[in-house]
Amino acid sequence: MAKKATSARTSRATKKRSVRRVRGANSDALSRVDALARNMWWTWNTSARRLMESLDPALYRACGNNPIKTIQHLHPTRRDVLLDDADFASRVREVEDELKSYLGAKTWFQRSTTAAQKRLRVAYFCMEYGIQESLPLYAGGLGILAGDHLKSSSDLGIPLVAIGILWRKGYYRQEVKPDGGVRVLYPESHWDELPFEDLNITIDVPIGRKTVKAKLWKLDVGRVPLYLLDCDLPENSKSDRLLTHHLYGGGEPEYRVRQEMLLGVGGLLALDALGIEPTVCHLNEGHAAFAGLERMRRLTDAGHTLDEAVDAVRASSVFTTHTPVPEGNDRFDPALTMRYIKPITDEIGLSRDEALAFGREDISDKKEPFCMTVLALKLAEHCNGVAKLHGETARKMWVKTYDAKSPKKVPIGHVTNGVHPETWLSDDARLFYDKHLKPDWVGAGPDDDWWKKASKIPADEMWGLRNRLRRKLIAFMRERMRDQIVYHEGNEAELTELFDVLDENALTIGFARRFALYKRAPLIFSDRKRLAKLFNNPDRPVQLIFAGKAHPLDAAGHDFVRRVYEMTQHKDFRGRIWLLQNYDMEIGRMLTQGCDVWLNNPVRPMEASGTSGMKCPLNGGLNCSILDGWWPEGYNRKNGWAIGDGEEFSSRAKQDKFDAQKIYEVLEDEVVQEFYERNRAGVPTKWVKRMANAMMTNCCEFSSHRMIRDYVNGYYLPAHSGG
């Protein structure tokens, strides 16, 4: 007995010493995870993302998928478990090695450019950036596109730095009230829980006759640094501190002008403070267009003539316009504009009329508002829309700006948008790809197309992927909808519906985007009886999931939300129509991954691009869309469906009636039938062929890697040479 007791004590002592050794070796494991979380590369790397979630999955979700916040709120017991876990320490080392390997890989840009081209330095300006849902830097599609632009620039090794604003409250949080109304909320952000690095650099930004102080922060997005300006400083006045609070918030035009001065002029001053000398300035939308005037001022101060300054700025500037809707382009009262640009234009030597002419389509019209898009077009030689059709639309819109005789003479090209595959690819699809397509993401170039082999994948396995992703979406829906119902003190019957009615096997259609009027979210409800008959067929059920936000001051857009909500409560659609509140990147990922069909019905040609639809084929989803934005380029009659043939009516009422009719026809005659026509093994073979065709034709061609290649070859390098 004595020997056994001694042996037991020895064993316990050995175990304790072992635990102490492991804990000593792992004592910095959490700080190393924190360091990994400060490079947003983790958001598109499976191993890194799994590591972040493994800290505490429930807490990670409660913290809005924010790993830094998760670490800070870990329970002491869980913290001790992680520090005592040798496997956890091993996973941390593996992810660190993956990041090191990624950063050290030879990139496409390094492999494919000359010594002179390698001296390219792009400064990319944008008002918003959608990097990940926990960062309050984005509102919608423009920001998501900008985030994907940075990620692919990192993957391809493009020498690019990004400039933006550190939004203290970001865009708004949307709550849909029990009556369908929208409650707009602005939550506070806690900066110690976010991955922004304080550079301890403060700059003085002239905004009109005042000088506003702005602090610089940095966010690493793989190889690409994103620099952000922050005016919420004690040295500033209250009104100046508010400049970096609300993204697209506030109803006063003056607030917007001052923000755009901060981004354009302040962005250039930030680059000066950082010692960065770009050879190309890329303005993503017109919000930063004042940068062009500031660059002119610097050149004239250095002794160049006005014409020389204009030519130099134009030659080295790239401008991307995203807005085919006239009211979507910022326009300001001439007197308000002069209040803020006069100090700059006086130094350049411009009269009032000469200065305002840079922002006017008709320079003879002294009352015409000053347009930021016009300013950007006039000060950039390299201009583009974001799809082939959008390029055509832009050329028609801006004929007067160029005093052109026809749209063909307007020098605006196009680079069709793309999406970053690794960001929008589900974990299930990644495993599926590893088995069937063998991708090699690190060091890949824009022409590496693993999707071309999709037709060789067995139909049952392709269908198995689609079923898994739909089930995963329905599980997510039940969790999110339960939270919405409980939050608004809903009844038990509503909670029961989540499990009794939400159907893992039903054809699931998604509609998620900004609730702008031209996107026509409620269009599908034009003939309720016909739709109810289609959706409620017990043998072929259909369910439709909506999500989306309107601009906080867009009453008509909020009314669209209310009308969709009312349909979720209508007796004919209970359990068939759903509305998720507070549309964000996570909801966007889950819907584009899990929905069988992505519905898009804008008024043609008002959709600039519509990148959300590009994400679905990555995960085996299909598009059903008006031939607008990117879809005229992507659709081949075998990889999805078109709503109509591109018909355009002068009457909006006629257009709505015609397009609604076409939606019903394509759903009734093709979509629903193909989904439910199964072979003996239960596989819808026609449907699966469309899935494979969509992967083969859409995924590589509409990736942000291809998009960046087009910018580099068609815009950045020519601007670099010209500058």
Side-chain angles (χ1 to χ4, degrees):
M1 290 290 292
K3 286 184 179 181
K4 288 184 178 180
T6 301
S7 176
R9 284 196 297 274
T10 301
S11 177
R12 286 196 296 272
T14 302
K15 186 176 181 180
K16 285 181 179 179
R17 284 195 298 273
S18 175
V19 168
R20 281 197 295 272
R21 282 198 297 271
V22 172
R23 183 174 294 180
N26 295 354
S27 60
D28 65 341
L30 290 176
S31 63
R32 287 158 58 199
V33 175
D34 181 275
L36 286 167
R38 292 177 187 275
N39 187 323
M40 300 310 291
W41 163 86
W42 73 265
T43 64
W44 72 90
N45 177 276
T46 304
S47 301
R49 195 171 60 252
R50 286 293 188 199
L51 176 68
M52 305 304 173
E53 292 177 20
S54 73
L55 293 165
D56 184 328
L59 180 61
Y60 178 82
R61 290 193 296 273
C63 291
N65 301 343
N66 178 343
I68 295 173
K69 185 175 181 179
T70 303
I71 292 170
Q72 293 179 6
H73 290 80
L74 280 174
H75 190 279
T77 301
R78 178 60 180 167
R79 189 179 294 271
D80 288 343
V81 167
L82 292 173
L83 294 178
D84 289 345
D85 187 345
D87 289 338
F88 178 73
S90 177
R91 292 198 302 275
V92 174
R93 286 192 296 272
E94 289 171 0
V95 173
E96 289 173 331
D97 289 344
E98 284 196 50
L99 176 56
K100 184 177 180 181
S101 176
Y102 171 84
L103 295 175
K106 192 168 185 178
T107 66
W108 170 79
F109 187 80
Q110 292 172 316
R111 298 192 304 266
S112 61
T113 50
T114 66
Q117 291 171 336
K118 285 181 173 61
R119 290 193 286 273
L120 170 73
R121 293 292 179 274
V122 179
Y124 181 87
F125 293 74
C126 192
M127 189 67 90
E128 53 173 300
Y129 292 91
I131 309 294
Q132 198 257 356
E133 56 268 18
S134 67
L135 305 184
L137 301 177
Y138 70 99
L142 177 68
I144 303 302
L145 182 279
D148 284 4
H149 195 108
L150 302 195
K151 292 171 185 177
S152 276
S153 293
S154 172
D155 289 344
L156 298 177
I158 312 304
L160 179 147
V161 301
I163 301 293
I165 292 177
L166 187 77
W167 300 108
R168 287 283 175 169
K169 296 187 178 181
Y171 204 48
Y172 73 98
R173 175 181 173 81
Q174 175 203 54
E175 288 186 4
V176 180
K177 297 185 287 187
D179 63 357
V182 172
R183 182 179 289 116
V184 173
L185 302 173
Y186 288 97
E188 293 283 350
S189 294
H190 300 282
W191 299 107
D192 60 330
E193 297 173 346
L194 294 170
F196 306 116
E197 177 188 353
D198 184 351
L199 296 179
N200 292 312
I201 297 174
T202 302
I203 61 174
D204 293 326
V205 183
I207 299 180
R209 297 294 179 187
K210 288 184 64 176
T211 297
V212 178
K213 292 193 176 296
K215 187 178 187 129
L216 302 187
W217 300 76
K218 180 186 176 188
L219 178 68
D220 288 318
V221 185
R223 297 178 176 89
V224 171
L226 168 58
Y227 298 105
L228 300 160
L229 291 88
D230 171 22
C231 292
D232 192 2
L233 307 174
E235 306 96 298
N236 286 330
S237 68
K238 182 178 179 181
S239 63
D240 291 338
R241 295 184 70 166
L242 292 175
L243 276 179
T244 54
H245 276 213
H246 299 296
L247 171 59
Y248 307 138
E252 296 297 324
E254 187 168 5
Y255 183 72
R256 189 69 168 261
V257 171
R258 294 168 69 223
Q259 286 181 326
E260 297 187 359
M261 286 289 291
L262 176 67
L263 178 62
V265 177
L268 290 174
L269 292 171
L271 293 172
D272 293 342
L274 294 162
I276 297 171
E277 297 183 14
T279 63
V280 174
C281 286
H282 182 180
L283 310 184
N284 192 38
E285 262 299 9
H287 306 121
F290 289 133
L293 292 178
E294 170 63 13
R295 293 179 67 204
M296 286 171 55
R297 183 196 66 76
R298 295 178 181 202
L299 288 166
T300 53
D301 278 358
H304 292 274
T305 66
L306 175 61
D307 288 343
E308 289 172 341
V310 171
D311 288 346
V313 170
R314 281 179 48 76
S316 57
S317 294
V318 176
F319 171 57
T320 300
T321 176
H322 292 258
T323 311
V325 184
E327 56 269 27
N329 297 275
D330 284 342
R331 287 179 166 85
F332 301 116
D333 177 78
L336 173 64
T337 305
M338 287 305 302
R339 189 183 311 161
Y340 286 96
I341 68 171
K342 193 173 188 300
I344 296 175
T345 56
D346 280 354
E347 284 196 47
I348 295 172
L350 297 173
S351 68
R352 183 180 190 277
D353 287 344
E354 289 171 330
L356 290 172
F358 277 98
R360 283 174 171 163
E361 296 181 72
D362 181 356
I363 60 175
S364 65
D365 183 355
K366 306 302 183 184
K367 296 182 179 180
E368 182 184 330
F370 188 91
C371 178
M372 296 297 285
T373 301
V374 172
L375 174 63
L377 290 169
K378 289 186 176 182
L379 292 181
E381 185 176 315
H382 312 276
C383 301
N384 69 283
V386 290
K388 183 179 180 180
L389 178 60
H390 178 230
E392 295 172 5
T393 303
R395 288 189 286 276
K396 293 176 183 176
M397 282 181 67
W398 304 112
V399 166
K400 287 177 63 178
T401 298
Y402 291 93
D403 194 23
K405 293 182 179 180
S406 74
K408 292 181 179 180
K409 300 294 184 180
V410 174
I412 299 176
H414 79 273
V415 174
T416 301
N417 281 346
V419 298
H420 185 252
E422 288 190 273
T423 293
W424 302 102
L425 193 63
S426 65
D427 290 342
D428 304 77
R430 278 178 179 271
L431 293 172
F432 182 82
Y433 279 27
D434 290 342
K435 179 179 179 181
H436 296 287
L437 304 179
K438 311 298 182 187
D440 185 9
W441 300 106
V442 177
D447 299 312
D448 290 321
D449 185 3
W450 12 88
W451 296 278
K452 62 187 177 184
K453 299 179 288 188
S455 63
K456 298 179 182 179
I457 301 172
D460 60 334
E461 297 204 37
M462 187 78 87
W463 184 238
L465 172 67
R466 181 88 304 275
N467 288 330
R468 286 193 300 277
L469 292 177
R470 190 186 322 102
R471 287 195 293 268
K472 188 175 179 180
L473 170 61
I474 297 306
F476 174 82
M477 283 285 298
R478 285 170 177 158
E479 182 181 317
R480 282 299 184 97
M481 291 303 303
R482 182 189 181 281
D483 289 347
Q484 280 183 216
I485 292 166
V486 172
Y487 186 86
H488 293 300
E489 300 180 17
N491 57 49
E492 291 297 323
E494 290 179 292
L495 294 173
T496 301
E497 277 184 350
L498 296 177
F499 296 91
D500 287 350
V501 184
L502 260 173
D503 192 339
E504 295 179 345
N505 299 307
L507 171 61
T508 302
I509 301 173
F511 184 105
R513 51 187 47 84
R514 188 162 53 91
F515 268 41
L517 295 188
Y518 74 88
K519 293 179 185 282
R520 301 187 293 184
L523 182 64
I524 197 170
F525 302 118
S526 299
D527 188 337
R528 295 181 189 176
K529 289 184 178 179
R530 188 172 179 179
L531 187 66
K533 182 180 179 181
L534 177 67
F535 275 29
N536 291 306
N537 183 332
D539 298 320
R540 296 182 170 188
V542 181
Q543 54 198 5
L544 172 57
I545 303 169
F546 284 92
K549 292 180 178 179
H551 185 281
L553 300 178
D554 182 1
H558 291 312
D559 186 60
F560 270 12
V561 176
R562 180 189 58 76
R563 288 166 62 184
V564 170
Y565 176 80
E566 287 175 352
M567 290 300 100
T568 70
Q569 304 301 304
H570 193 281
K571 61 181 178 60
D572 290 339
F573 299 114
R574 290 282 296 184
R576 291 291 171 219
I577 307 294
W578 302 87
L579 174 63
L580 282 169
Q581 66 181 15
N582 201 40
Y583 183 41
D584 64 3
M585 285 186 71
E586 182 180 25
I587 290 176
R589 278 197 310 275
M590 295 304 298
L591 290 178
T592 54
Q593 290 169 8
C595 286
D596 301 301
V597 174
W598 200 248
L599 179 64
N600 188 33
N601 46 241
V603 177
R604 178 186 160 106
M606 292 186 178
E607 181 83 281
S609 181
T611 52
S612 61
M614 300 174 184
K615 301 160 190 172
C616 300
L618 289 166
N619 300 281
L622 296 170
N623 280 275
C624 180
S625 176
I626 296 285
L627 286 167
D628 197 9
W630 75 284
W631 196 227
E633 298 167 65
Y635 176 59
N636 69 358
R637 298 185 180 274
K638 299 176 183 179
N639 59 2
W641 297 273
I643 299 169
D645 292 317
E647 301 88 344
E648 296 179 29
F649 295 85
S650 57
S651 163
R652 176 64 179 271
K654 288 182 179 179
Q655 188 76 60
D656 287 354
K657 183 177 180 180
F658 179 85
D659 290 342
Q661 175 72 19
K662 292 300 179 182
I663 291 174
Y664 299 134
E665 288 178 4
V666 73
L667 290 178
E668 292 166 346
D669 299 340
E670 299 182 59
V671 177
V672 176
Q673 286 195 30
E674 283 192 22
F675 184 85
Y676 285 107
E677 286 178 359
R678 313 287 170 89
N679 63 15
R680 291 181 178 180
V683 176
T685 53
K686 288 184 180 179
W687 189 278
V688 170
K689 283 182 180 179
R690 282 192 194 267
M691 289 171 60
N693 199 297
M695 281 188 176
M696 294 165 63
T697 57
N698 292 161
C699 293
C700 182
E701 181 61 23
F702 297 98
S703 77
S704 49
H705 279 29
R706 187 274 313 150
M707 175 186 75
I708 295 297
R709 179 200 67 196
D710 290 354
Y711 273 116
V712 169
N713 293 334
Y715 291 81
Y716 290 168
L717 291 178
H720 172 67
S721 300

